[in-house]
Structure formats: C-alpha cells, structure tokens
Amino acid sequence: EAYRSSLPEAASTLDIGNALATIYENTNLLDQAILIYSDIAEICQKNYPNDPGTATSLNNFANALETNEQFADAEALYHKAEEILRGGAGTPGKLADVLNNIAYLAKKAGRFDDATNYYLEAFSLLKNLDDSSYNFKSIVICFNLSRLFEDSDRIQAIEWCELGLSMADNFLEEDHDLFEALREQRLSL
C-alpha cells in the first residue's frame, strides 16, 4: 500500500505502473496486481477519460479480474474500454483485442449469439488491417470461433478451424502451441 501515496498522475508513470502490475500478475501475485491495476484505472478514467492508454489500462485490469474469476467485473471493464476505443481513440487492433475478450466472457456465460458477434467483429477489424503483426490474433480468433461453433454448427467450426490452420501455416512455426491446438481441434471435428 505504500505505493498509493506516491503514485503521480503522469502517463509515463501509469505505463510503469501497468508494467509493474503485469509483473505481479505473471509471478502469481494477482492480488497486488489487481490493486495496482485498480488504482491505475481510476487515475486514467479521471485524468485521461478518452485516451487509448486508459482503454489499455482497463483491459489489463479486466484481464487480471478475469484470471481471478471476477467475470462480471471484468466484462464491465472490457465494455468501458470498448466504449473508449469505439469513440475513436486507439487502433482497430486494440478494439479487436477487447472484443475478443468480451466474446470469450460472453461464451463462458452461455451468451453464444453475443460471443459470435464480438468474435466476428474482431476478426473483421483485423482482417482489414494491412499489418502482419495482427496475424497471430486473427488465428486466435479463428480458433475461438471454431471452438464456439463445435457443438452447434460443425460446418462453421470446421471452416473457422481450416482458415486458422491455413493462416497458421503461413505465419507460425510447425511446433507452435496454437498451431498444435488448431490441428487437434480439426481432428476432433
């Protein structure tokens, strides 16, 4: 708690705070990470309400809450980040990340139509970008869509899986975990 009294309200310090919280999260100090993310999100929303960095901070906070199985709170934060990004701040790639996260939680909650719409929008945003750095995210969304449809629409599940495999063949190493997950998914369909 000592960091709270000395946390300046400057964007570069917030970046450092996000990095520190990420380190805590990655070293299984999730409670500490959540505290830092919470403070950063509060400062960002107060001082930089329409900034893409605020959306990133909200997304990071939501990711930590999701890991902590606080799904409703995480989804609410994802939607706040979505609102900022839809307002013109940030990039289509950042919005696609947030939409993918919302879709995952919608699927987890049994809201398959919502999940489908969010995944499809995220994929569409990435598909239209002329930036190869988003290829991995596109492959992830193909996998997620294949998993979403595996029980309700086998044909769509196969189509999304095969698209993901085709993209993976062009952009991932043969032994990449996602490539292997897609191959296993295809065999199971």
Side-chain angles (χ1 to χ4, degrees):
E1 297 233 8
Y3 78 91
R4 288 178 187 243
S5 62
S6 63
L7 190 63
E9 296 181 344
S12 62
T13 301
L14 296 174
D15 291 340
I16 293 167
N18 269 312
L20 177 62
T22 301
I23 291 168
Y24 281 156
E25 187 176 357
N26 291 337
T27 57
N28 296 321
L29 298 169
L30 190 57
D31 292 338
Q32 291 88 337
I34 288 173
L35 285 173
I36 295 171
Y37 282 137
S38 175
D39 285 349
I40 291 170
E42 185 179 323
I43 291 167
C44 285
Q45 289 179 93
K46 177 182 171 194
N47 296 304
Y48 317 104
N50 299 311
D51 189 90
T54 299
T56 298
S57 294
L58 292 169
N59 188 62
N60 291 345
F61 184 21
N63 285 334
L65 291 175
E66 184 179 325
T67 300
N68 206 39
E69 299 184 0
Q70 294 173 262
F71 302 120
D73 293 336
E75 187 169 356
L77 289 172
Y78 287 136
H79 282 295
K80 285 182 182 180
E82 173 193 12
E83 184 179 324
I84 292 168
L85 295 169
R86 285 191 190 279
T91 65
K94 285 185 184 259
L95 178 57
D97 285 341
V98 171
L99 296 176
N100 182 60
N101 293 337
I102 294 170
Y104 173 79
L105 290 180
K107 178 187 177 204
K108 191 168 190 59
R111 299 187 333 263
F112 297 106
D113 288 343
D114 289 344
T116 301
N117 291 334
Y118 282 115
Y119 279 137
L120 290 174
E121 183 179 358
F123 185 79
S124 177
L125 286 167
L126 295 176
K127 179 181 74 168
N128 294 325
L129 295 178
D130 189 26
D131 184 344
S132 63
S133 67
Y134 292 108
N135 290 329
F136 180 78
K137 293 175 187 178
S138 296
I139 297 166
V140 167
I141 292 171
C142 288
F143 177 72
N144 290 343
L145 279 161
S146 179
R147 294 295 309 265
L148 180 69
F149 288 121
E150 68 188 355
D151 293 327
S152 63
D153 188 335
R154 187 171 178 271
I155 292 172
Q156 278 204 55
I158 291 170
E159 288 173 358
W160 282 107
C161 188
E162 288 180 350
L163 178 58
L165 281 167
S166 172
M167 293 172 72
D169 194 41
N170 291 318
F171 300 109
L172 298 179
E173 298 292 325
E174 278 288 318
D175 62 346
H176 193 282
D177 290 343
L178 180 55
F179 209 155
E180 184 58 35
L182 281 160
R183 284 192 290 264
E184 289 175 15
Q185 171 72 359
R186 182 60 186 99
L187 289 174
S188 73
L189 293 172

